[in-house]
Amino acid sequence: MKATQTPIRSGFAALLIGATSTTAFSGTFDSGADHEDLHRRAAVHDTWMRERLMPAGGVMSGQFTDDTYTQVRSYGGERDPAIWTGAYLAAQALRLQVTGAADAADQVAETVRVLHRWWRISGDSGYLARFAAPADSPEAVLATLPAGDPEVIRDVPFEAALWYWRGRVSRDQYQGVLLGMSLAYEATSDPDIRQLIREDVATFAEQLMRRDRKRVKVIINGSSNFSTTLELQHAVYTDDETPDGIPILNIRTSPFEAEGSGMVVFWPNPSEFARQIPGLGWLPDVILPSQAIQLAATFRVALQVTEGVPGYEARYAALLAHYDEQVENWLDIATGWENTNTCGASYHGLNVAFMPMYHWVRLEDDLMRRARLQRDVLRDALWSAVEDHKNVFFSFIYASQAAPEDSVEAVIEEHLAQLALFPNAPQTAEPLDVRWKYPEDPECPGLSAVATDVDDRAGATFIWERHPWTLTDPGAPDVAFAGVDYLLAYWLGRQAGFIEGSGRVTVTQNGTGRGTVTSSPSGIDCGSICEAEFDLGSEVSLAAVAAPGSVFTGWSGDPSCPYLSPLDGETSCIATFEPLPAGATTIHAAVLPFARAVSLGESATAYASVINSGDSIATGCSIALPGGLPASFGYQTTNAANTATGTPDTPVDIAPGATQGFVFAITPQGAMRATEIAPVFDCANTAPAPSHAGLNTFILSAASTAPPDLVAIGVTPSGDGVVRIPGRDGIGFFAVAAVNIGSGGTITASADDGGRDLPLSIRVCETNAGGEWIACGDSLTRTFAPDETVYYTVLVSGTGRRVAFDPAANRLFLRLQAAGMTVGATNVAVTTP
């Protein structure tokens, strides 16, 4: 069942091509697939898995109480959560790279924390748990960690609680975790999450690099049993899994195998170490190419996460020196990789070669070495063995990293068709009998002679590591699988450009008034009608601003308008603008503070003032959220001291010329990345208050882990919220105090004009409480502690051109961001003579 290797152009000319190109495919592949359907399927698999099949943050399969698949009775796959959870992290990291979605960033951060716990819970350097859960977890979770199981360690004090964890980890579990951490490091901008990844990966690589003299119990061919001291390298150890804390090395001489208890070895040539054992000095070299690939990839990821990092210079240099010393030997061994499986046995061994091969190739920065990896290992060894397996994951790894001269379009087209056959969530364990459809292999009775299509395969949590020749399977009632394999293949295809990933948003203007609609991210900026393409899965928000003499009255069209989060396909939104009647009672509104950041389940509160600028009573005045925002909302009136009065969520009248205060609360239902919300301020006998960015909008961010939450207030020298620059070449400023009422974190402060391109030069300075300058720059980064107050001054210089007095439009903003998420902001108006 090994595919026949196809000759592809090689030699010195091809090598030169590899030295000048690093990708085999660019652009979007037009395969005719229903790309919106592929995306929606990914979204459903993602949601379904998170809600049901990620106990304690780890991916498993589940047996449910009935065929509604609502309540889990028990979990399965308890020995594989590390590799599957690492694959989930990789999928979320790819999704974050492609879409920038806030909940993708949230899932990356949360999953890195889970895996960080699994790296650390044993207390042994570089040793990874297969799974861990608190001792007070639900019974279905604890049943995966039973007492008496020799792999399970119970009642471990960790993180101020008792935990159970599963050990006796194998090399394959590391491969999924390293894949996820490498991609997460690229995707996230959160310095704290990057540091967790960096320390875990670097610690693991440094342990592998360490050469130790270890007392080891040796068992040869199941009988000879003695202890000896060996000098070992490329191994990790734990003393939790052996009776006396001494690792055990089991040796079988024919055929040669070396496996440990209390130790995991990564030995491309185990004879190098086994010859030290008395009586085994005669052993010939035993070459294991997959372990060479795994080792090399580990060090490449360790170099990726430590390069250029202050404080890691010496560690990076040591890792690089070891890699440079060993890599040519590893590469020579890797070129000899072969598919040694017979009739599908141990097919997972192919998966744990492809996973590390993916990041070895893409991270290798030596062009000649990368060319050998592309041709001699990835193409001629790995891919040639599986090209007829209909394995979407393997095909996308190959096609995304192929040598420049390799034609991959047919490979992509064939495997996109297979991805489209993947079942919708839930992926269940249905009985299988496809003997009528596929010929039996005479060399492998009971198996197909050709790879079956993806929709003709038995259910599994990760079908890409299951062989594709099964003809019959009894199924398992009420069992469902996580779908992480679909997510990983789909998002790898999106990130590589194999799957078209855009959705069209069309905005139409309705009514007899006038106004403009813009989008974030940019793309739409129009009057009557316009449209733009945005990434499927990304967060798109629309903002409507009425022209003078008109008022924006609301959104219609798709129910998600104006907050398309996430965008899941072609969407149409209608913005309605109406003229203001002459002499009508009008209202205006302001909001303070301008931005908040909260954890999920927490409410973000802010204050609003509504002014009745008309000559008659404004009746039944209220505040509401615009449509489409995934959040709950409430409001209440306040008095002059900002103390709540009246009855919650009850409209009130506002006298002519009067101002009414309100407090409102927004509770997000999911992760949100810096969404600028335009609350609807309306009265029964008026048009809604005009919306102006910064003046009466509100930026809200939400994450599963409590973020910093900076309440920022800006003041100007005139005290009226306007920076009046003295002369068109003059200098003005405004001051800001920001208090952190959330968690601690690293914050970057920057200033801008909201995209107005005003003729101004803007810099931000940190000061102390007395106004003395500490540092200035285009942006400033510092750590905020909880309850800490920091002071800034924003300097504004004119550049010779006039800035009109238009407080609703011409404004300056100070923004405070943590890991790319807005967690605080304030703004003021600006003008020059």
Side-chain angles (χ1 to χ4, degrees):
M1 292 192 178
K2 178 181 176 182
T4 301
Q5 183 170 319
T6 302
I8 304 177
R9 181 176 56 158
S10 59
F12 187 67
L15 200 59
L16 287 178
I17 294 174
T20 58
S21 176
T22 59
T23 58
F25 181 86
S26 62
T28 300
F29 186 81
D30 184 9
S31 69
D34 185 340
H35 299 289
E36 291 186 2
D37 180 68
L38 292 178
H39 171 74
R40 292 190 187 102
R41 191 177 311 172
V44 175
H45 272 295
D46 198 341
T47 300
W48 205 91
M49 175 171 55
R50 289 191 218 174
E51 291 178 350
R52 296 168 176 83
L53 294 179
M54 292 189 69
V59 177
M60 290 186 176
S61 60
Q63 183 175 23
F64 290 78
T65 55
D66 55 47
D67 58 8
T68 66
Y69 302 101
T70 303
Q71 181 65 43
V72 174
R73 175 185 291 122
S74 62
Y75 292 99
E78 61 272 13
R79 301 188 79 247
D80 285 321
I83 188 172
W84 294 342
T85 307
Y88 173 76
L89 174 60
Q92 295 298 328
L94 291 164
R95 182 165 76 96
L96 179 57
Q97 288 184 37
V98 171
T99 69
D103 72 315
D106 217 28
Q107 291 302 308
V108 165
E110 181 60 28
T111 308
V112 166
R113 293 188 186 99
V114 168
L115 293 174
H116 175 70
R117 182 179 302 126
W118 296 2
W119 280 106
R120 300 289 167 160
I121 196 166
S122 74
D124 297 302
S125 180
Y127 197 83
L128 177 68
R130 292 178 182 268
F131 177 65
D136 60 355
S137 296
E139 184 54 40
V141 179
L142 297 183
T144 69
L145 299 162
D149 188 325
E151 291 186 348
V152 173
I153 294 89
R154 288 188 148 211
D155 296 322
V156 176
F158 186 70
E159 295 181 348
L162 289 180
W163 287 73
Y164 299 172
W165 63 277
R166 180 175 293 275
R168 297 199 178 177
V169 70
S170 51
R171 284 180 296 271
D172 59 341
Q173 301 302 302
Y174 283 91
Q175 307 318 309
V177 173
L178 288 169
L179 174 69
M181 288 199 153
S182 175
L183 290 169
Y185 190 83
E186 293 177 352
T188 185
S189 58
D190 187 328
D192 296 332
I193 297 302
R194 283 188 136 209
Q195 177 58 25
L196 292 182
I197 295 170
R198 181 180 301 116
E199 195 55 35
D200 287 341
V201 174
T203 298
F204 175 50
E206 287 166 342
Q207 173 59 43
L208 292 176
M209 189 169 62
R210 187 173 294 117
R211 187 175 287 273
D212 295 317
R213 289 186 61 79
K214 298 286 291 187
R215 189 73 178 172
V216 177
K217 184 179 294 184
V218 178
I219 302 173
I220 301 176
N221 294 327
S223 56
S224 179
N225 187 332
F226 58 91
S227 295
T228 187
T229 299
L230 305 176
E231 187 173 292
L232 301 178
Q233 193 178 37
H234 299 153
V236 293
Y237 310 93
T238 181
D239 57 9
D240 292 307
E241 298 173 2
T242 52
D244 53 9
I246 299 175
I248 300 170
L249 185 60
N250 286 278
I251 301 287
R252 191 173 72 177
T253 57
S254 183
F256 183 87
E257 288 184 359
E259 292 297 339
S261 297
M263 63 187 299
V264 183
V265 298
F266 294 79
W267 289 346
N269 180 5
S271 296
E272 175 187 356
F273 302 102
R275 291 189 192 112
Q276 301 175 61
I277 299 172
L280 296 184
W282 55 271
L283 281 174
D285 287 342
V286 177
I287 302 305
L288 304 176
S290 289
Q291 296 194 38
I293 294 170
Q294 293 168 4
L295 263 183
T298 296
F299 280 89
R300 277 267 40 127
V301 177
L303 292 170
Q304 172 197 14
V305 302
T306 56
E307 183 175 13
V309 179
Y312 278 77
E313 295 86 354
R315 297 174 72 176
Y316 173 82
L319 291 165
L320 180 61
H322 185 76
Y323 181 76
D324 285 344
E325 177 187 4
Q326 300 279 347
V327 66
E328 294 303 328
N329 179 49
W330 292 336
L331 181 50
D332 288 342
I333 292 174
T335 59
W337 187 93
E338 291 183 333
N339 180 9
T340 59
N341 296 297
T342 302
C343 296
S346 300
Y347 190 86
H348 70 278
L350 280 67
N351 181 55
V352 295
F354 268 92
M355 274 187 169
M357 192 66 206
Y358 173 66
H359 41 265
W360 189 8
V361 176
R362 70 185 179 85
L363 296 176
E364 181 54 63
D365 53 10
D366 182 286
L367 294 180
M368 300 294 282
R369 192 180 296 145
R370 187 172 194 273
R372 284 189 66 194
L373 287 171
Q374 289 176 307
R375 295 170 177 83
D376 298 346
V377 188
L378 179 58
R379 180 188 68 197
D380 296 345
L382 273 71
W383 176 244
S384 70
V386 302
E387 60 184 343
D388 60 353
H389 291 191
K390 300 177 183 176
N391 191 307
V392 181
F393 181 47
F394 294 174
S395 75
F396 283 3
I397 287 176
Y398 164 64
S400 67
Q401 304 301 322
E405 73 274 14
D406 290 6
S407 177
V408 298
E409 284 78 6
V411 171
I412 298 167
E413 182 175 8
E414 175 189 349
H415 290 87
L416 272 178
Q418 289 295 319
L419 185 64
L421 298 177
F422 199 98
N424 293 315
Q427 180 194 0
T428 56
E430 301 297 330
L432 176 73
D433 189 341
V434 291
R435 288 174 291 186
W436 61 272
K437 189 173 182 179
Y438 300 95
E440 187 175 32
D441 189 337
E443 298 180 3
C444 300
L447 297 182
S448 173
V450 297
T452 62
D453 290 335
V454 166
D455 60 342
D456 288 331
R457 299 185 190 178
T461 294
F462 204 91
I463 67 170
W464 316 130
E465 64 177 353
R466 305 290 193 268
H467 78 71
W469 302 293
T470 299
L471 290 173
T472 63
D473 188 271
D478 307 327
V479 169
F481 303 100
V484 65
D485 35 358
Y486 181 84
L487 291 179
L488 182 54
Y490 173 78
W491 287 110
L492 179 55
R494 279 285 302 274
Q495 192 265 355
F498 304 155
I499 301 174
E500 203 278 327
S502 63
R504 183 171 296 274
V505 176
T506 301
V507 175
T508 304
Q509 181 174 308
N510 194 20
T512 57
R514 295 182 302 110
T516 58
V517 176
T518 57
S519 65
S520 177
S522 62
I524 289 176
D525 188 353
C526 62
S528 60
I529 185 170
C530 60
E531 58 187 17
E533 299 280 347
F534 299 92
D535 287 325
L536 290 173
S538 64
E539 299 168 353
V540 180
S541 61
L542 302 173
V545 177
S550 295
V551 64
F552 171 68
T553 60
W555 291 99
S556 56
D558 191 282
S560 63
C561 301
Y563 300 104
L564 318 179
S565 177
L567 178 66
D568 64 2
E570 186 169 332
T571 305
S572 295
C573 296
I574 301 170
T576 300
F577 298 92
E578 299 292 354
L580 283 172
T585 294
T586 58
I587 59 172
H588 299 274
V591 170
L592 195 72
F594 178 40
R596 292 287 308 277
V598 296
S599 58
L600 297 185
E602 181 183 356
S603 297
T605 57
Y607 294 97
S609 297
V610 177
I611 304 171
N612 179 2
S613 59
D615 297 326
S616 59
I617 295 174
T619 61
C621 300
S622 64
I623 312 174
L625 286 182
L629 190 72
S632 59
F633 183 81
Y635 72 94
Q636 191 170 352
T637 56
T638 63
N639 58 23
N642 284 332
T643 301
T645 61
T647 304
D649 302 318
T650 302
V652 296
D653 297 342
I654 304 176
T659 298
Q660 175 62 59
F662 294 87
V663 61
F664 63 81
I666 305 176
T667 307
Q669 296 171 354
M672 296 176 61
R673 180 182 290 277
T675 300
E676 188 163 2
I677 301 165
V680 179
F681 299 92
D682 198 8
C683 303
N685 63 335
T686 72
S691 180
H692 302 287
L695 184 63
N696 55 13
T697 58
F698 182 66
I699 296 176
L700 178 60
S701 304
S704 62
T705 302
D709 182 11
L710 304 176
V711 176
I713 304 296
V715 295
T716 62
S718 58
D720 61 357
V722 181
V723 174
R724 293 178 169 82
I725 300 176
R728 298 182 183 181
D729 295 312
I731 298 176
F733 70 93
F734 67 97
V736 176
V739 58
N740 182 15
I741 63 173
S743 64
T746 301
I747 306 297
T748 297
S750 62
D752 60 77
D753 63 4
R756 295 279 293 176
D757 197 24
L758 299 176
L760 301 170
S761 175
I762 309 172
R763 283 169 61 83
V764 60
C765 300
E766 184 184 345
T767 71
N768 60 22
E772 297 171 324
W773 292 6
I774 297 172
C776 293
D778 294 331
S779 64
L780 298 175
T781 300
R782 73 181 319 274
T783 298
F784 267 70
D787 300 319
E788 182 178 11
T789 300
V790 177
Y791 302 91
Y792 294 99
T793 296
V794 177
L795 299 176
V796 191
S797 302
T799 59
R801 293 164 52 199
R802 180 171 179 264
V803 177
F805 182 69
D806 185 356
N810 294 336
R811 304 188 70 81
L812 301 174
F813 299 80
L814 177 77
R815 304 182 197 270
L816 301 163
Q817 294 188 314
M821 180 173 75
T822 299
V823 295
T826 189
N827 64 98
V828 298
V830 63
T831 187
T832 66

